[in-house]
Amino acid sequence: MACRAITIGRANTGIIAAVFVVVVILGPLLAVFWRAGGGAWLVSSDMAAIRFTIWQALLSALISVGLAIPVARALARRKFRGRAVLITLLGAPFILPVIVAVLGLLAVFGRSGILAALLSKFGLPPISIYGLQGVVIAHVFFNLPLATRIILQGWQAIPAERFRLAEMLGFGPREIARTLEYPMLRGALPGAFLIIFAICLSSFAVALTLGGGPRATTIELAIYQAFRFDFDLARAAVLASVQIALVAVVAVLALRVTTGDGMGAGLDRVVHRWDVNTVSSKVLDSAVLLLSTVFLLLPLTMIVLNGIAGLGMMPTAIWAALGRSILVALAATSLTVVLGLAMATASRERGWIDSIGLLGVTVSPMVIGTGLFLLINPWVRPTDVALVVTILVNAVMALPFMLRILTPACRAVETDYGRLADSLGLAGWARLRWLILPRIRRALGFGAGLTAALSMGDLGVVMLFADSENATLPLQMYRLMGAYQMQAAAGAGLVLLMASLLLFWGFDRGGRRDADA
Amino acid sequence: MLTLENLELRQDGFALTADITLENRDIVAVIGPSGAGKSTLLNIVAGFTSPDAGKVIWDGVDITANRPAKRPIAMLFQDNNLFGHLTVGQNVALGVRPDMRLNSAQKDRVEQALKRVGLADMGARKPAQLSGGQQSRVALARVLVQRKPLMLLDEPFAALGPALRHEMLDLVAELAGEIGATVLLVSHDPADARRIAKRTILVAQGMAYPPQDTADLLDNPPEALAAYLGT
């Protein structure tokens, strides 16, 4: 259907938003490349960082996806009490601040953690959480749930009728696996693997806290170190270029093969199966679910327990940092909402606008941060604009998620009501106010909640810019950990976790309230 | 007067031509096999689909390039004629002013329209709280306040039972008379056409034929229509 361009106004704001995003992402990038023109040869530690980045991302993605298959299978075919809670819990890592999770993992896998205590009972030495294994454990902790949700989506996309047909034909578990499940996995696994691989390539906070040293440094961390400690801009620029190229290639591949993003609704239904009542499969599924739940819940529990104990030990600076973090989160959320709305509503007429929003996935925060630093350094003292830059970077980082949530919602509104609204002359602000906003409230609330939580817990670009005057809560918490004030850090971690959850809950709830659309 | 002058639309395997004139205050049914292009014809008149060639002319003015909101039309679709998140009153108010900044006289008009279709005092309800027939009445109340000289109905009552559908068609005829509007009504039921449309456009085999007397057409159907009607 040749539809006329009747929505010029919306397309224009969409274009403005897209241009803004391009400038925020490409401007710093150009600055980095401009510096890279006078770039320096990478030293051997940089090469080691590149190798380590790829290796740990590969391991993390393989292990996450590998473990996720049995977990997703158990969730797909078992109905049990607490299943809905467990699936909700699988969404938690989206909004759990990395630095808080690291603290929880330390309490379980660390030198004086639960696992070490258990091992010593049997006379075994503790395993070290630092280095490659620590980085991988943390990445699996974050990405096992994501992989599980993506694969579970695949499982649930197999129509119930197929299983009915399979039962009628007398299929056993083996035949069902061969005809129904393997083909689904062949479709879902590459996407899940690549998404997680891309996420782990940009790992900064995990590597900062659990890695480090010449043998466990990621490129992101190396950029930060070259920049902050050596003030070697030329090397930072070259590293940044490598990082961009690497992530861009993987992200493009990931977008191409992705079938699900793990955010979809409808994960709460169980397809009735007739082939899964053998004792061995029940035992297997129970064990898988129990182990994965413990792996996810134990660190979270330790965060709460240690956090409560540490609340009294926190320095008062925590509260100022909390205030700054909330401010940053709210500002970043507002910006992402505005950009997301402008781009999602315009992307129906212009598909490329959507792709621009997804750029945020490919470019790493450290690269944007470094570039912005290079750009503003001649005019403004970077520490003065630490929070503004953090807001900007957080907003652009969260934009891909926001668009993934908003665009389908906006498309649905246009499909259902676009022609009616056009024939009534509902355009511009009135269309947004009376048609689009009311109908995408849920999606908008959910997206805003995710953005706020992401921004609240982000420990990344702020480290390039901030001093103690304008530290955010994650940064303040990291400093406490660095000063070995682990109890105070645990208290701050609990405060940060609560604030992130509350922000997410508040926005998400606001989107659902009285939503009758 | 609506004139469709040498209209042509072609898109992968589908073709539709039309050369038709409708008199003012005419009520004209559009019937034909599914997929023949009944809805497409209405979409071209409404401006949702651009023809490859030809003109849509209203009262001597070429409106082929106008966007839907800038055409003298009020259109009802097969479904989604009401915004579920807005109240009945708001849904009607959109027909007065899309930005819904109504003065008291305009609010009165909304009230009067609701009363006219038999939904007085229902303004504060949400569409989901109404029956299917009542929802159709709300949509018609909005058509009433829009006061457009051309009403396009793309089977909006298809989901209603026969008795209710006939009731709605009668109401359409009454309202069209009050507004003085010309009506184009797509239907797959010949009885609908006989009920309110003196003349009928047959859309078949890639062509929209000029309106003919409904009774004549249905009593002596050409081959394409006979196959569709099963007579």
Side-chain angles (χ1 to χ4, degrees), chain A residues 6-15 17 336-351 353-354 399 402-403 405-414 428-429 431-433 435-438 440 444:
Chain A
I6 42 186
T7 44
I8 304 288
R10 278 180 301 142
N12 277 347
T13 45
I15 290 169
T336 306
V337 164
V338 170
L339 291 173
L341 271 178
M343 295 171 77
T345 51
S347 71
R348 189 172 60 119
E349 282 96 31
R350 293 161 211 273
I353 288 181
D354 206 30
L399 191 58
M402 184 61 112
L403 283 177
I405 297 165
L406 279 191
T407 306
C410 288
R411 292 244 163 100
V413 173
E414 292 298 340
W429 171 249
R431 194 183 183 102
L432 192 67
R433 162 88 179 76
L435 173 61
I436 297 172
L437 280 181
I440 63 165
L444 194 62

Side-chain angles (χ1 to χ4, degrees), chain A residues 31-258:
Chain A
V32 170
F33 274 112
W34 165 60
R35 287 307 288 239
W41 289 108
L42 295 178
V43 295
S44 69
S45 70
D46 296 333
M47 298 310 289
I50 295 172
R51 275 196 303 274
F52 176 78
T53 303
I54 296 173
W55 179 231
Q56 60 81 22
L58 204 62
L59 279 181
S60 304
L62 275 178
I63 296 174
S64 298
V65 171
L67 292 180
I69 295 171
V71 181
R73 185 178 59 183
L75 280 171
R77 64 188 189 183
R78 299 288 167 201
K79 200 178 239 169
F80 55 93
R81 204 183 269 270
R83 183 178 179 277
V85 178
L86 186 54
I87 287 177
T88 308
L89 191 71
L90 289 176
F94 274 122
I95 50 176
L96 182 67
V98 175
I99 181 95
V100 176
V102 164
L103 209 59
L105 289 169
L106 280 174
V108 176
F109 297 97
R111 197 174 299 273
S112 49
I114 296 174
L115 187 65
L118 215 61
L119 287 173
S120 77
K121 279 222 172 102
F122 298 99
L124 296 167
I127 59 151
S128 170
I129 179 122
Y130 294 100
L132 177 65
Q133 59 269 47
V135 170
V136 171
I137 287 176
H139 283 163
V140 171
F141 176 78
F142 271 101
N143 294 306
L144 172 61
L146 175 62
T148 305
R149 286 176 71 103
I150 293 174
I151 297 171
L152 181 56
Q153 248 176 16
W155 237 292
Q156 302 203 314
I158 304 176
E161 292 77 13
R162 296 275 163 77
F163 286 106
R164 218 164 54 194
L165 183 64
E167 173 65 14
M168 210 183 62
L169 296 173
F171 280 16
R174 192 177 301 227
E175 287 79 20
I176 285 187
R178 202 175 53 222
T179 53
L180 296 180
E181 296 176 326
Y182 290 164
M184 179 281 292
L185 287 175
R186 264 201 299 279
L189 293 187
F193 173 83
L194 283 171
I195 288 174
I196 294 170
F197 187 62
I199 291 174
C200 294
L201 281 181
S202 315
S203 182
F204 174 74
V206 165
L208 177 75
T209 45
L210 295 176
R215 296 181 51 189
T217 296
T218 58
I219 304 175
E220 284 283 275
L221 187 53
I223 295 172
Y224 167 72
Q225 286 166 347
F227 197 61
R228 186 93 197 207
F229 299 141
D230 309 336
F231 210 72
D232 191 340
L233 289 180
R235 253 179 61 231
V238 177
L239 281 169
S241 313
V242 173
Q243 172 72 11
I244 292 160
L246 204 56
V247 181
V249 168
V250 177
V252 166
L253 279 178
L255 281 178
R256 207 166 265 202
V257 302
T258 304

Side-chain angles (χ1 to χ4, degrees), chain A residues 210-496:
Chain A
L210 295 176
R215 296 181 51 189
T217 296
T218 58
I219 304 175
E220 284 283 275
L221 187 53
I223 295 172
Y224 167 72
Q225 286 166 347
F227 197 61
R228 186 93 197 207
F229 299 141
D230 309 336
F231 210 72
D232 191 340
L233 289 180
R235 253 179 61 231
V238 177
L239 281 169
S241 313
V242 173
Q243 172 72 11
I244 292 160
L246 204 56
V247 181
V249 168
V250 177
V252 166
L253 279 178
L255 281 178
R256 207 166 265 202
V257 302
T258 304
T259 51
D261 52 19
M263 292 204 224
L267 295 179
D268 47 355
R269 108 204 123 73
V270 181
V271 172
H272 187 74
R273 301 269 297 264
W274 294 267
D275 59 311
V276 293
N277 287 324
T278 59
V279 174
S280 61
S281 81
K282 277 184 181 166
V283 170
L284 178 68
D285 284 353
S286 307
V288 163
L289 289 173
L290 190 71
L291 280 177
S292 52
T293 309
V294 168
F295 176 59
L296 290 177
L297 263 189
L298 210 52
L300 290 175
T301 312
M302 296 311 287
I303 291 165
V304 175
L305 292 181
N306 290 346
I308 291 172
L311 280 179
M313 323 280 282
M314 292 188 304
T316 49
I318 287 297
W319 302 111
L322 174 65
R324 275 192 291 271
S325 276
I326 292 177
L327 219 64
V328 165
L330 291 179
T333 305
S334 317
L335 188 55
T336 306
V337 164
V338 170
L339 291 173
L341 271 178
M343 295 171 77
T345 51
S347 71
R348 189 172 60 119
E349 282 96 31
R350 293 161 211 273
W352 57 267
I353 288 181
D354 206 30
S355 334
I356 292 208
L358 300 177
L359 264 180
V361 172
T362 63
V363 180
S364 73
M366 274 305 139
V367 174
I368 300 184
T370 312
L372 281 176
F373 194 106
L374 297 176
L375 280 176
I376 60 179
N377 198 30
W379 295 283
V380 193
R381 224 161 44 109
T383 48
D384 291 344
V385 292
L387 296 186
V388 176
V389 170
T390 308
I391 290 166
L392 212 57
V393 172
N394 284 175
V396 172
M397 269 167 56
L399 191 58
F401 298 100
M402 184 61 112
L403 283 177
R404 271 242 131 112
I405 297 165
L406 279 191
T407 306
C410 288
R411 292 244 163 100
V413 173
E414 292 298 340
T415 308
D416 290 347
Y417 294 106
R419 289 194 309 168
L420 176 59
D422 287 348
S423 80
L424 289 170
L426 201 57
W429 171 249
R431 194 183 183 102
L432 192 67
R433 162 88 179 76
W434 295 110
L435 173 61
I436 297 172
L437 280 181
R439 295 208 74 88
I440 63 165
R441 263 180 63 170
R442 269 164 173 267
L444 194 62
F446 178 64
L450 271 190
T451 306
L454 273 178
S455 173
M456 184 81 206
D458 179 53
L459 175 64
V461 72
V462 72
M463 292 198 62
L464 282 178
F465 289 82
D467 53 21
S468 56
E469 291 303 299
N470 47 21
T472 57
L473 187 51
L475 179 53
Q476 203 62 264
M477 188 184 154
Y478 172 69
R479 287 192 179 140
L480 287 172
M481 287 167 73
Y484 295 103
Q485 299 184 33
M486 294 312 266
Q487 280 189 298
L494 184 59
V495 172
L496 179 55

Side-chain angles (χ1 to χ4, degrees), chain B residues 197-213:
Chain B
K198 260 214 208 79
R199 301 201 297 155
T200 294
I201 293 174
L202 170 65
V203 180
Q205 294 165 335
M207 183 167 171
Y209 294 87
Q212 304 165 50
D213 185 86

Side-chain angles (χ1 to χ4, degrees), chain A residues 1-6 415-427 429-430 434-436 438-439 514 516-517, chain B residues 43 47-50 64-69 71 77 80-86 90 94 98-100 126 142 146:
Chain A
M1 296 255 166
C3 191
R4 281 170 210 290
I6 42 186
T415 308
D416 290 347
Y417 294 106
R419 289 194 309 168
L420 176 59
D422 287 348
S423 80
L424 289 170
L426 201 57
W429 171 249
W434 295 110
L435 173 61
I436 297 172
R439 295 208 74 88
D514 308 326
D516 53 357
Chain B
N43 279 327
F48 290 112
T49 304
S50 309
T64 319
N66 291 17
R67 50 189 248 206
R71 296 186 182 208
F77 306 92
N80 287 325
N81 283 306
L82 299 179
F83 297 105
H85 57 280
L86 301 178
Q90 286 174 319
L94 278 174
D99 63 4
M100 282 216 244
K126 291 278 177 78
R142 191 180 57 221
Q146 282 184 278

